[in-house]
Amino acid sequence: TQSNVKPAKEEQDWQIFPNPIWEGQFNIQFSDVIAGKSNVVINITDMNGKVVHSMEVADENVIGGNRLIIQKDLSAGMYTVSISQGDHTTSQQVVVQK
């Protein structure tokens, strides 16, 4: 028999926009509502592995339950944005152009 139980997602689907980043602000849009779960930890690292920005966002500060606005003036270059919520962490690359 088939089960109607869906397996839990192991990773949160999200995207950064705009990418490349032209100004000191970008958005992180989640495909699912993340509010009401646990705080979101965001780390931005440069290509040398140095953390250049780190923040923890309480779930009540997530816009519409699925969007974050990050305000950070980064130097031109490529960065890795890592997002952790609970025991799951995912990363994406972002380019900053000046």
Side-chain angles (χ1 to χ4, degrees), residues 56-70:
E56 184 170 350
V57 180
D59 66 343
E60 64 264 12
N61 294 325
V62 178
I63 300 167
N66 67 346
R67 188 166 64 103
L68 297 171
I69 298 174
I70 309 300

Side-chain angles (χ1 to χ4, degrees), residues 45 60 87:
T45 55
E60 64 264 12
D87 59 352

Side-chain angles (χ1 to χ4, degrees), residues 39-93:
N39 290 357
V40 177
V41 178
I42 299 159
N43 288 307
I44 303 172
T45 55
D46 64 15
M47 294 312 294
N48 295 319
K50 178 183 174 189
V51 176
V52 295
H53 185 64
S54 183
M55 64 187 287
E56 184 170 350
V57 180
D59 66 343
E60 64 264 12
N61 294 325
V62 178
I63 300 167
N66 67 346
R67 188 166 64 103
L68 297 171
I69 298 174
I70 309 300
Q71 294 185 350
K72 178 66 178 170
D73 192 22
L74 299 167
S75 299
M78 184 174 287
Y79 297 86
T80 300
V81 177
S82 299
I83 296 181
S84 300
Q85 186 178 36
D87 59 352
H88 299 291
T89 301
T90 58
S91 300
Q92 290 186 19
Q93 299 291 317

